[in-house]
Amino acid sequence: MPLIMTVVVVLMVEFTVGSAPIWQIALWASAALFMQILRSTILYKLPTQTHKTTEERLRIAARLSLANGIVLACCAFLFGELDATARSAFSCIMVGLVAGTVATSHGYRPIFMGFVVPVLGSVMFVWAFASDESLTPVKIGAILFLILALGGVLFASAKDVYNSFVESFELTGQMEAALEAEQSANAAKTRFLAAASHDLRQPLHTLSMLSAALTQSKLDDRSSKIAHRMSITMEDLSSELDSLLDISKLDASVIPVNPTEFNINTSITRLIGEYEESAKKKGLSLSYENAADNTLTTDKFLFERIVRNLLDNAIKYTESGSVSIKASKTSDLLTVSVKDTGIGIPFDEQDNIWEEFYQLRNIERDRQKGLGLGLSIVTRLTELLDGKISINSAVGKGTEFIVSVPAVSQLPV
């Protein structure tokens, strides 16, 4: 606004030079420019003056608006003797300023009216006392009526703008309250999952040991099958609890990143060994293409969890064929791909697989296929390591997940 008002003052000076005494023009222009500087300075500082109440600061803004309007309106005395072209230009400029005040004041009446009344009054003065014989009383009356009508329209518009402005604040407050409630609910959910998962682990471990002892005991065939099934169920439950605990820790942002230097090939080869039995039962071949440069500096536990989840997912959704892992490393980036010949993922569902509890083709929620947290965990762990993950997949042809992480993360001090 100060820039616009400065341009207005310059235009006024251009119109009045030669038609009014220079000292009058200079006095008005100086007062108008000083008013812009004073008003801008006070309004810039006003929001930070929290020692004053909102009402006090609004009164200050309203008084500044009134003073600004009066100073600009004084220009009308310089236009009284000007020709019709100059008066028309003056009227257009002033009406434009008044219309703009609807937006800049957000329709707040004391500020809006403090500026509008003197400015529109100056326009009416210019036409009412113009020394122009072509202006009959009827013409002057019509012009004054139009100016008053414009003022009424702008007043009504200002009221609507102000109501919308207030409603937007109320809506913002409601949205902030809803967001705070949602964040609080999420925090409560995270605490519950963390506590429940942690508290259930101990009895679960005990049950697992008892189940393992039972399977090693001398049992009849029927009891042996029950014990074996019980052992498998305990493993599934343990895996699900581990996933819930991981996701709750990730939500709570309490998982630390502790970079260490380790051998990539040794780490991935050991992970493949963990899944050889599962792959063999399904008739799948497991392979690994070693990285030429086999050193990596990152959080070993988190890195292995990423690869383990991807490997588990690949075997779970591949009924025949193979699962292969490939690692390649540059000076600053390690890329690991896990590729399978499984069912593949439709293109329109590939954005959904990263969501929590989303499972492809598991409408019946078969527990043996997990909870649908594996890829969500992988995504968040990859972000923790400042990495990225992408997918290449086609239905019936298989899926490839590609994870890239910095080859060297900053070691802890």
Side-chain angles (χ1 to χ4, degrees), residues 104-140:
T104 57
S105 67
H106 294 291
Y108 182 63
R109 287 185 182 178
I111 295 177
F112 174 76
M113 296 300 292
F115 183 80
V116 168
V117 170
V119 170
L120 284 185
S122 70
V123 177
M124 296 176 70
F125 174 84
V126 164
W127 290 100
F129 296 97
S131 56
D132 190 336
E133 296 179 355
S134 64
L135 290 175
T136 62
V138 175
K139 291 180 180 179
I140 294 175

PDB file of all heavy atoms in Angstrom, residues 104-140:
ATOM      1  N   THR A 104      -8.147  -4.337   1.868  1.00  0.00           N
ATOM      2  CA  THR A 104      -7.022  -4.085   2.782  1.00  0.00           C
ATOM      3  C   THR A 104      -7.466  -3.925   4.230  1.00  0.00           C
ATOM      4  O   THR A 104      -6.681  -4.179   5.153  1.00  0.00           O
ATOM      5  CB  THR A 104      -6.251  -2.831   2.348  1.00  0.00           C
ATOM      6  OG1 THR A 104      -7.151  -1.707   2.297  1.00  0.00           O
ATOM      7  CG2 THR A 104      -5.627  -3.027   0.972  1.00  0.00           C
ATOM      8  N   SER A 105      -8.710  -3.517   4.446  1.00  0.00           N
ATOM      9  CA  SER A 105      -9.219  -3.388   5.820  1.00  0.00           C
ATOM     10  C   SER A 105      -9.980  -4.629   6.260  1.00  0.00           C
ATOM     11  O   SER A 105     -10.458  -4.691   7.389  1.00  0.00           O
ATOM     12  CB  SER A 105     -10.150  -2.175   5.920  1.00  0.00           C
ATOM     13  OG  SER A 105     -11.332  -2.382   5.160  1.00  0.00           O
ATOM     14  N   HIS A 106     -10.109  -5.617   5.356  1.00  0.00           N
ATOM     15  CA  HIS A 106     -10.904  -6.831   5.616  1.00  0.00           C
ATOM     16  C   HIS A 106     -12.325  -6.479   6.026  1.00  0.00           C
ATOM     17  O   HIS A 106     -12.994  -7.250   6.709  1.00  0.00           O
ATOM     18  CB  HIS A 106     -10.256  -7.698   6.694  1.00  0.00           C
ATOM     19  CG  HIS A 106      -8.941  -8.268   6.277  1.00  0.00           C
ATOM     20  ND1 HIS A 106      -8.815  -9.226   5.301  1.00  0.00           N
ATOM     21  CD2 HIS A 106      -7.678  -7.994   6.685  1.00  0.00           C
ATOM     22  CE1 HIS A 106      -7.540  -9.539   5.132  1.00  0.00           C
ATOM     23  NE2 HIS A 106      -6.831  -8.800   5.954  1.00  0.00           N
ATOM     24  N   GLY A 107     -12.793  -5.305   5.570  1.00  0.00           N
ATOM     25  CA  GLY A 107     -14.168  -4.909   5.843  1.00  0.00           C
ATOM     26  C   GLY A 107     -14.430  -4.466   7.267  1.00  0.00           C
ATOM     27  O   GLY A 107     -15.585  -4.229   7.637  1.00  0.00           O
ATOM     28  N   TYR A 108     -13.370  -4.303   8.071  1.00  0.00           N
ATOM     29  CA  TYR A 108     -13.567  -3.864   9.464  1.00  0.00           C
ATOM     30  C   TYR A 108     -14.040  -2.409   9.451  1.00  0.00           C
ATOM     31  O   TYR A 108     -13.333  -1.516   9.006  1.00  0.00           O
ATOM     32  CB  TYR A 108     -12.261  -3.998  10.235  1.00  0.00           C
ATOM     33  CG  TYR A 108     -12.368  -3.620  11.685  1.00  0.00           C
ATOM     34  CD1 TYR A 108     -13.184  -4.334  12.559  1.00  0.00           C
ATOM     35  CD2 TYR A 108     -11.655  -2.536  12.185  1.00  0.00           C
ATOM     36  CE1 TYR A 108     -13.279  -3.976  13.892  1.00  0.00           C
ATOM     37  CE2 TYR A 108     -11.742  -2.173  13.521  1.00  0.00           C
ATOM     38  CZ  TYR A 108     -12.562  -2.897  14.371  1.00  0.00           C
ATOM     39  OH  TYR A 108     -12.654  -2.537  15.691  1.00  0.00           O
ATOM     40  N   ARG A 109     -15.252  -2.165   9.940  1.00  0.00           N
ATOM     41  CA  ARG A 109     -15.937  -0.889   9.705  1.00  0.00           C
ATOM     42  C   ARG A 109     -15.191   0.359  10.195  1.00  0.00           C
ATOM     43  O   ARG A 109     -15.109   1.347   9.464  1.00  0.00           O
ATOM     44  CB  ARG A 109     -17.342  -0.933  10.324  1.00  0.00           C
ATOM     45  CG  ARG A 109     -18.285  -1.806   9.525  1.00  0.00           C
ATOM     46  CD  ARG A 109     -19.682  -1.738  10.080  1.00  0.00           C
ATOM     47  NE  ARG A 109     -20.591  -2.607   9.336  1.00  0.00           N
ATOM     48  CZ  ARG A 109     -21.874  -2.750   9.645  1.00  0.00           C
ATOM     49  NH1 ARG A 109     -22.390  -2.096  10.675  1.00  0.00           N
ATOM     50  NH2 ARG A 109     -22.637  -3.542   8.921  1.00  0.00           N
ATOM     51  N   PRO A 110     -14.673   0.376  11.415  1.00  0.00           N
ATOM     52  CA  PRO A 110     -13.988   1.604  11.851  1.00  0.00           C
ATOM     53  C   PRO A 110     -12.821   1.992  10.934  1.00  0.00           C
ATOM     54  O   PRO A 110     -12.627   3.180  10.645  1.00  0.00           O
ATOM     55  CB  PRO A 110     -13.499   1.240  13.256  1.00  0.00           C
ATOM     56  CG  PRO A 110     -14.454   0.207  13.734  1.00  0.00           C
ATOM     57  CD  PRO A 110     -14.776  -0.604  12.522  1.00  0.00           C
ATOM     58  N   ILE A 111     -12.048   1.008  10.494  1.00  0.00           N
ATOM     59  CA  ILE A 111     -10.924   1.298   9.590  1.00  0.00           C
ATOM     60  C   ILE A 111     -11.440   1.666   8.211  1.00  0.00           C
ATOM     61  O   ILE A 111     -10.977   2.632   7.588  1.00  0.00           O
ATOM     62  CB  ILE A 111      -9.980   0.086   9.515  1.00  0.00           C
ATOM     63  CG1 ILE A 111      -9.330  -0.160  10.881  1.00  0.00           C
ATOM     64  CG2 ILE A 111      -8.914   0.294   8.450  1.00  0.00           C
ATOM     65  CD1 ILE A 111      -8.434  -1.388  10.922  1.00  0.00           C
ATOM     66  N   PHE A 112     -12.428   0.900   7.734  1.00  0.00           N
ATOM     67  CA  PHE A 112     -12.978   1.144   6.402  1.00  0.00           C
ATOM     68  C   PHE A 112     -13.639   2.514   6.315  1.00  0.00           C
ATOM     69  O   PHE A 112     -13.347   3.311   5.414  1.00  0.00           O
ATOM     70  CB  PHE A 112     -13.979   0.033   6.080  1.00  0.00           C
ATOM     71  CG  PHE A 112     -14.724   0.237   4.796  1.00  0.00           C
ATOM     72  CD1 PHE A 112     -14.115   0.000   3.573  1.00  0.00           C
ATOM     73  CD2 PHE A 112     -16.046   0.666   4.805  1.00  0.00           C
ATOM     74  CE1 PHE A 112     -14.800   0.184   2.381  1.00  0.00           C
ATOM     75  CE2 PHE A 112     -16.748   0.857   3.627  1.00  0.00           C
ATOM     76  CZ  PHE A 112     -16.123   0.615   2.408  1.00  0.00           C
ATOM     77  N   MET A 113     -14.527   2.806   7.263  1.00  0.00           N
ATOM     78  CA  MET A 113     -15.262   4.072   7.222  1.00  0.00           C
ATOM     79  C   MET A 113     -14.353   5.263   7.483  1.00  0.00           C
ATOM     80  O   MET A 113     -14.567   6.358   6.932  1.00  0.00           O
ATOM     81  CB  MET A 113     -16.396   4.046   8.242  1.00  0.00           C
ATOM     82  CG  MET A 113     -17.462   3.001   7.957  1.00  0.00           C
ATOM     83  SD  MET A 113     -18.273   3.250   6.362  1.00  0.00           S
ATOM     84  CE  MET A 113     -19.158   4.783   6.675  1.00  0.00           C
ATOM     85  N   GLY A 114     -13.341   5.092   8.327  1.00  0.00           N
ATOM     86  CA  GLY A 114     -12.417   6.184   8.603  1.00  0.00           C
ATOM     87  C   GLY A 114     -11.711   6.676   7.356  1.00  0.00           C
ATOM     88  O   GLY A 114     -11.389   7.873   7.242  1.00  0.00           O
ATOM     89  N   PHE A 115     -11.479   5.790   6.415  1.00  0.00           N
ATOM     90  CA  PHE A 115     -10.827   6.190   5.160  1.00  0.00           C
ATOM     91  C   PHE A 115     -11.837   6.588   4.094  1.00  0.00           C
ATOM     92  O   PHE A 115     -11.660   7.568   3.360  1.00  0.00           O
ATOM     93  CB  PHE A 115      -9.975   5.027   4.651  1.00  0.00           C
ATOM     94  CG  PHE A 115      -9.199   5.340   3.402  1.00  0.00           C
ATOM     95  CD1 PHE A 115      -8.011   6.060   3.472  1.00  0.00           C
ATOM     96  CD2 PHE A 115      -9.648   4.926   2.160  1.00  0.00           C
ATOM     97  CE1 PHE A 115      -7.293   6.355   2.321  1.00  0.00           C
ATOM     98  CE2 PHE A 115      -8.940   5.226   1.015  1.00  0.00           C
ATOM     99  CZ  PHE A 115      -7.758   5.940   1.091  1.00  0.00           C
ATOM    100  N   VAL A 116     -12.942   5.842   3.996  1.00  0.00           N
ATOM    101  CA  VAL A 116     -13.894   6.022   2.905  1.00  0.00           C
ATOM    102  C   VAL A 116     -14.648   7.347   3.010  1.00  0.00           C
ATOM    103  O   VAL A 116     -14.821   8.054   2.013  1.00  0.00           O
ATOM    104  CB  VAL A 116     -14.882   4.833   2.874  1.00  0.00           C
ATOM    105  CG1 VAL A 116     -16.053   5.128   1.936  1.00  0.00           C
ATOM    106  CG2 VAL A 116     -14.161   3.574   2.430  1.00  0.00           C
ATOM    107  N   VAL A 117     -15.098   7.700   4.204  1.00  0.00           N
ATOM    108  CA  VAL A 117     -15.934   8.896   4.353  1.00  0.00           C
ATOM    109  C   VAL A 117     -15.198  10.167   3.890  1.00  0.00           C
ATOM    110  O   VAL A 117     -15.727  10.923   3.060  1.00  0.00           O
ATOM    111  CB  VAL A 117     -16.432   9.026   5.806  1.00  0.00           C
ATOM    112  CG1 VAL A 117     -17.103  10.390   6.021  1.00  0.00           C
ATOM    113  CG2 VAL A 117     -17.413   7.900   6.126  1.00  0.00           C
ATOM    114  N   PRO A 118     -13.978  10.459   4.379  1.00  0.00           N
ATOM    115  CA  PRO A 118     -13.322  11.677   3.897  1.00  0.00           C
ATOM    116  C   PRO A 118     -12.919  11.610   2.424  1.00  0.00           C
ATOM    117  O   PRO A 118     -12.996  12.631   1.713  1.00  0.00           O
ATOM    118  CB  PRO A 118     -12.089  11.796   4.796  1.00  0.00           C
ATOM    119  CG  PRO A 118     -11.860  10.447   5.355  1.00  0.00           C
ATOM    120  CD  PRO A 118     -13.197   9.819   5.455  1.00  0.00           C
ATOM    121  N   VAL A 119     -12.532  10.450   1.946  1.00  0.00           N
ATOM    122  CA  VAL A 119     -12.090  10.355   0.551  1.00  0.00           C
ATOM    123  C   VAL A 119     -13.266  10.531  -0.403  1.00  0.00           C
ATOM    124  O   VAL A 119     -13.189  11.319  -1.363  1.00  0.00           O
ATOM    125  CB  VAL A 119     -11.378   9.003   0.306  1.00  0.00           C
ATOM    126  CG1 VAL A 119     -11.132   8.789  -1.182  1.00  0.00           C
ATOM    127  CG2 VAL A 119     -10.048   8.971   1.045  1.00  0.00           C
ATOM    128  N   LEU A 120     -14.382   9.805  -0.183  1.00  0.00           N
ATOM    129  CA  LEU A 120     -15.551  10.008  -1.038  1.00  0.00           C
ATOM    130  C   LEU A 120     -16.129  11.413  -0.863  1.00  0.00           C
ATOM    131  O   LEU A 120     -16.664  12.018  -1.803  1.00  0.00           O
ATOM    132  CB  LEU A 120     -16.625   8.964  -0.732  1.00  0.00           C
ATOM    133  CG  LEU A 120     -16.373   7.550  -1.276  1.00  0.00           C
ATOM    134  CD1 LEU A 120     -17.577   6.664  -1.009  1.00  0.00           C
ATOM    135  CD2 LEU A 120     -16.065   7.572  -2.767  1.00  0.00           C
ATOM    136  N   GLY A 121     -16.002  11.952   0.373  1.00  0.00           N
ATOM    137  CA  GLY A 121     -16.442  13.334   0.596  1.00  0.00           C
ATOM    138  C   GLY A 121     -15.653  14.312  -0.253  1.00  0.00           C
ATOM    139  O   GLY A 121     -16.213  15.294  -0.774  1.00  0.00           O
ATOM    140  N   SER A 122     -14.353  14.053  -0.433  1.00  0.00           N
ATOM    141  CA  SER A 122     -13.534  14.940  -1.261  1.00  0.00           C
ATOM    142  C   SER A 122     -13.949  14.869  -2.726  1.00  0.00           C
ATOM    143  O   SER A 122     -13.938  15.891  -3.435  1.00  0.00           O
ATOM    144  CB  SER A 122     -12.056  14.581  -1.115  1.00  0.00           C
ATOM    145  OG  SER A 122     -11.770  13.333  -1.730  1.00  0.00           O
ATOM    146  N   VAL A 123     -14.337  13.678  -3.184  1.00  0.00           N
ATOM    147  CA  VAL A 123     -14.801  13.544  -4.571  1.00  0.00           C
ATOM    148  C   VAL A 123     -16.100  14.330  -4.767  1.00  0.00           C
ATOM    149  O   VAL A 123     -16.283  15.035  -5.779  1.00  0.00           O
ATOM    150  CB  VAL A 123     -15.000  12.056  -4.925  1.00  0.00           C
ATOM    151  CG1 VAL A 123     -15.546  11.910  -6.343  1.00  0.00           C
ATOM    152  CG2 VAL A 123     -13.686  11.297  -4.795  1.00  0.00           C
ATOM    153  N   MET A 124     -17.014  14.217  -3.808  1.00  0.00           N
ATOM    154  CA  MET A 124     -18.267  14.962  -3.890  1.00  0.00           C
ATOM    155  C   MET A 124     -18.008  16.463  -3.850  1.00  0.00           C
ATOM    156  O   MET A 124     -18.651  17.243  -4.569  1.00  0.00           O
ATOM    157  CB  MET A 124     -19.195  14.546  -2.738  1.00  0.00           C
ATOM    158  CG  MET A 124     -19.620  13.077  -2.795  1.00  0.00           C
ATOM    159  SD  MET A 124     -20.618  12.559  -1.380  1.00  0.00           S
ATOM    160  CE  MET A 124     -22.132  13.464  -1.706  1.00  0.00           C
ATOM    161  N   PHE A 125     -17.049  16.910  -3.036  1.00  0.00           N
ATOM    162  CA  PHE A 125     -16.709  18.334  -2.947  1.00  0.00           C
ATOM    163  C   PHE A 125     -16.207  18.861  -4.294  1.00  0.00           C
ATOM    164  O   PHE A 125     -16.591  19.955  -4.733  1.00  0.00           O
ATOM    165  CB  PHE A 125     -15.636  18.532  -1.868  1.00  0.00           C
ATOM    166  CG  PHE A 125     -15.106  19.931  -1.780  1.00  0.00           C
ATOM    167  CD1 PHE A 125     -15.780  20.895  -1.037  1.00  0.00           C
ATOM    168  CD2 PHE A 125     -13.945  20.293  -2.448  1.00  0.00           C
ATOM    169  CE1 PHE A 125     -15.282  22.198  -0.959  1.00  0.00           C
ATOM    170  CE2 PHE A 125     -13.451  21.591  -2.375  1.00  0.00           C
ATOM    171  CZ  PHE A 125     -14.121  22.541  -1.629  1.00  0.00           C
ATOM    172  N   VAL A 126     -15.340  18.077  -4.940  1.00  0.00           N
ATOM    173  CA  VAL A 126     -14.764  18.511  -6.215  1.00  0.00           C
ATOM    174  C   VAL A 126     -15.845  18.767  -7.252  1.00  0.00           C
ATOM    175  O   VAL A 126     -15.804  19.744  -8.006  1.00  0.00           O
ATOM    176  CB  VAL A 126     -13.745  17.457  -6.722  1.00  0.00           C
ATOM    177  CG1 VAL A 126     -13.421  17.677  -8.189  1.00  0.00           C
ATOM    178  CG2 VAL A 126     -12.472  17.532  -5.904  1.00  0.00           C
ATOM    179  N   TRP A 127     -16.870  17.875  -7.316  1.00  0.00           N
ATOM    180  CA  TRP A 127     -17.920  18.033  -8.318  1.00  0.00           C
ATOM    181  C   TRP A 127     -18.987  19.031  -7.876  1.00  0.00           C
ATOM    182  O   TRP A 127     -19.563  19.739  -8.719  1.00  0.00           O
ATOM    183  CB  TRP A 127     -18.571  16.684  -8.600  1.00  0.00           C
ATOM    184  CG  TRP A 127     -17.637  15.761  -9.345  1.00  0.00           C
ATOM    185  CD1 TRP A 127     -16.897  14.756  -8.843  1.00  0.00           C
ATOM    186  CD2 TRP A 127     -17.337  15.826 -10.740  1.00  0.00           C
ATOM    187  NE1 TRP A 127     -16.136  14.166  -9.806  1.00  0.00           N
ATOM    188  CE2 TRP A 127     -16.393  14.797 -11.008  1.00  0.00           C
ATOM    189  CE3 TRP A 127     -17.753  16.639 -11.798  1.00  0.00           C
ATOM    190  CZ2 TRP A 127     -15.873  14.574 -12.270  1.00  0.00           C
ATOM    191  CZ3 TRP A 127     -17.253  16.407 -13.060  1.00  0.00           C
ATOM    192  CH2 TRP A 127     -16.316  15.388 -13.294  1.00  0.00           C
ATOM    193  N   ALA A 128     -19.237  19.102  -6.599  1.00  0.00           N
ATOM    194  CA  ALA A 128     -20.288  20.013  -6.126  1.00  0.00           C
ATOM    195  C   ALA A 128     -19.888  21.478  -6.277  1.00  0.00           C
ATOM    196  O   ALA A 128     -20.735  22.341  -6.544  1.00  0.00           O
ATOM    197  CB  ALA A 128     -20.617  19.713  -4.667  1.00  0.00           C
ATOM    198  N   PHE A 129     -18.600  21.788  -6.127  1.00  0.00           N
ATOM    199  CA  PHE A 129     -18.150  23.190  -6.179  1.00  0.00           C
ATOM    200  C   PHE A 129     -17.277  23.473  -7.401  1.00  0.00           C
ATOM    201  O   PHE A 129     -16.486  24.410  -7.407  1.00  0.00           O
ATOM    202  CB  PHE A 129     -17.381  23.516  -4.898  1.00  0.00           C
ATOM    203  CG  PHE A 129     -18.228  23.445  -3.664  1.00  0.00           C
ATOM    204  CD1 PHE A 129     -18.245  22.294  -2.876  1.00  0.00           C
ATOM    205  CD2 PHE A 129     -19.050  24.503  -3.307  1.00  0.00           C
ATOM    206  CE1 PHE A 129     -19.039  22.216  -1.747  1.00  0.00           C
ATOM    207  CE2 PHE A 129     -19.839  24.427  -2.166  1.00  0.00           C
ATOM    208  CZ  PHE A 129     -19.843  23.282  -1.383  1.00  0.00           C
ATOM    209  N   ALA A 130     -17.423  22.655  -8.414  1.00  0.00           N
ATOM    210  CA  ALA A 130     -16.640  22.878  -9.631  1.00  0.00           C
ATOM    211  C   ALA A 130     -17.171  24.103 -10.371  1.00  0.00           C
ATOM    212  O   ALA A 130     -18.380  24.302 -10.516  1.00  0.00           O
ATOM    213  CB  ALA A 130     -16.726  21.650 -10.528  1.00  0.00           C
ATOM    214  N   SER A 131     -16.258  24.960 -10.842  1.00  0.00           N
ATOM    215  CA  SER A 131     -16.646  26.162 -11.594  1.00  0.00           C
ATOM    216  C   SER A 131     -16.666  25.815 -13.078  1.00  0.00           C
ATOM    217  O   SER A 131     -15.817  26.233 -13.857  1.00  0.00           O
ATOM    218  CB  SER A 131     -15.658  27.299 -11.325  1.00  0.00           C
ATOM    219  OG  SER A 131     -14.337  26.892 -11.640  1.00  0.00           O
ATOM    220  N   ASP A 132     -17.686  25.002 -13.435  1.00  0.00           N
ATOM    221  CA  ASP A 132     -17.821  24.558 -14.821  1.00  0.00           C
ATOM    222  C   ASP A 132     -19.264  24.793 -15.233  1.00  0.00           C
ATOM    223  O   ASP A 132     -20.188  24.187 -14.685  1.00  0.00           O
ATOM    224  CB  ASP A 132     -17.448  23.074 -14.916  1.00  0.00           C
ATOM    225  CG  ASP A 132     -17.339  22.605 -16.361  1.00  0.00           C
ATOM    226  OD1 ASP A 132     -17.957  23.225 -17.236  1.00  0.00           O
ATOM    227  OD2 ASP A 132     -16.641  21.592 -16.597  1.00  0.00           O
ATOM    228  N   GLU A 133     -19.451  25.695 -16.216  1.00  0.00           N
ATOM    229  CA  GLU A 133     -20.800  26.067 -16.626  1.00  0.00           C
ATOM    230  C   GLU A 133     -21.557  24.902 -17.252  1.00  0.00           C
ATOM    231  O   GLU A 133     -22.789  24.896 -17.279  1.00  0.00           O
ATOM    232  CB  GLU A 133     -20.736  27.229 -17.623  1.00  0.00           C
ATOM    233  CG  GLU A 133     -20.166  28.510 -17.004  1.00  0.00           C
ATOM    234  CD  GLU A 133     -20.095  29.642 -18.024  1.00  0.00           C
ATOM    235  OE1 GLU A 133     -20.409  29.372 -19.211  1.00  0.00           O
ATOM    236  OE2 GLU A 133     -19.735  30.765 -17.645  1.00  0.00           O
ATOM    237  N   SER A 134     -20.818  23.903 -17.775  1.00  0.00           N
ATOM    238  CA  SER A 134     -21.502  22.768 -18.414  1.00  0.00           C
ATOM    239  C   SER A 134     -22.129  21.827 -17.392  1.00  0.00           C
ATOM    240  O   SER A 134     -22.931  20.966 -17.742  1.00  0.00           O
ATOM    241  CB  SER A 134     -20.510  21.984 -19.281  1.00  0.00           C
ATOM    242  OG  SER A 134     -19.485  21.405 -18.471  1.00  0.00           O
ATOM    243  N   LEU A 135     -21.759  21.995 -16.133  1.00  0.00           N
ATOM    244  CA  LEU A 135     -22.317  21.148 -15.081  1.00  0.00           C
ATOM    245  C   LEU A 135     -23.583  21.792 -14.518  1.00  0.00           C
ATOM    246  O   LEU A 135     -23.539  22.704 -13.699  1.00  0.00           O
ATOM    247  CB  LEU A 135     -21.292  20.929 -13.977  1.00  0.00           C
ATOM    248  CG  LEU A 135     -20.092  20.041 -14.318  1.00  0.00           C
ATOM    249  CD1 LEU A 135     -19.100  20.027 -13.173  1.00  0.00           C
ATOM    250  CD2 LEU A 135     -20.540  18.629 -14.643  1.00  0.00           C
ATOM    251  N   THR A 136     -24.717  21.307 -14.968  1.00  0.00           N
ATOM    252  CA  THR A 136     -25.996  21.806 -14.461  1.00  0.00           C
ATOM    253  C   THR A 136     -26.277  21.163 -13.106  1.00  0.00           C
ATOM    254  O   THR A 136     -25.675  20.145 -12.737  1.00  0.00           O
ATOM    255  CB  THR A 136     -27.126  21.444 -15.434  1.00  0.00           C
ATOM    256  OG1 THR A 136     -27.217  20.019 -15.519  1.00  0.00           O
ATOM    257  CG2 THR A 136     -26.829  22.008 -16.829  1.00  0.00           C
ATOM    258  N   PRO A 137     -27.177  21.746 -12.345  1.00  0.00           N
ATOM    259  CA  PRO A 137     -27.547  21.158 -11.053  1.00  0.00           C
ATOM    260  C   PRO A 137     -28.004  19.691 -11.168  1.00  0.00           C
ATOM    261  O   PRO A 137     -27.735  18.883 -10.284  1.00  0.00           O
ATOM    262  CB  PRO A 137     -28.687  22.053 -10.570  1.00  0.00           C
ATOM    263  CG  PRO A 137     -28.390  23.378 -11.187  1.00  0.00           C
ATOM    264  CD  PRO A 137     -27.821  23.062 -12.541  1.00  0.00           C
ATOM    265  N   VAL A 138     -28.679  19.383 -12.274  1.00  0.00           N
ATOM    266  CA  VAL A 138     -29.141  18.003 -12.453  1.00  0.00           C
ATOM    267  C   VAL A 138     -27.946  17.059 -12.610  1.00  0.00           C
ATOM    268  O   VAL A 138     -27.897  15.967 -12.017  1.00  0.00           O
ATOM    269  CB  VAL A 138     -30.053  17.897 -13.687  1.00  0.00           C
ATOM    270  CG1 VAL A 138     -30.427  16.428 -13.947  1.00  0.00           C
ATOM    271  CG2 VAL A 138     -31.312  18.715 -13.475  1.00  0.00           C
ATOM    272  N   LYS A 139     -26.970  17.483 -13.430  1.00  0.00           N
ATOM    273  CA  LYS A 139     -25.780  16.650 -13.640  1.00  0.00           C
ATOM    274  C   LYS A 139     -25.001  16.468 -12.340  1.00  0.00           C
ATOM    275  O   LYS A 139     -24.565  15.362 -12.001  1.00  0.00           O
ATOM    276  CB  LYS A 139     -24.880  17.283 -14.692  1.00  0.00           C
ATOM    277  CG  LYS A 139     -25.453  17.249 -16.101  1.00  0.00           C
ATOM    278  CD  LYS A 139     -24.492  17.893 -17.086  1.00  0.00           C
ATOM    279  CE  LYS A 139     -25.056  17.863 -18.510  1.00  0.00           C
ATOM    280  NZ  LYS A 139     -24.135  18.511 -19.466  1.00  0.00           N
ATOM    281  N   ILE A 140     -24.836  17.582 -11.618  1.00  0.00           N
ATOM    282  CA  ILE A 140     -24.109  17.500 -10.339  1.00  0.00           C
ATOM    283  C   ILE A 140     -24.846  16.591  -9.365  1.00  0.00           C
ATOM    284  O   ILE A 140     -24.249  15.760  -8.669  1.00  0.00           O
ATOM    285  CB  ILE A 140     -23.914  18.912  -9.740  1.00  0.00           C
ATOM    286  CG1 ILE A 140     -22.979  19.736 -10.630  1.00  0.00           C
ATOM    287  CG2 ILE A 140     -23.361  18.816  -8.324  1.00  0.00           C
ATOM    288  CD1 ILE A 140     -22.826  21.167 -10.187  1.00  0.00           C
TER     289      ILE A 140
END
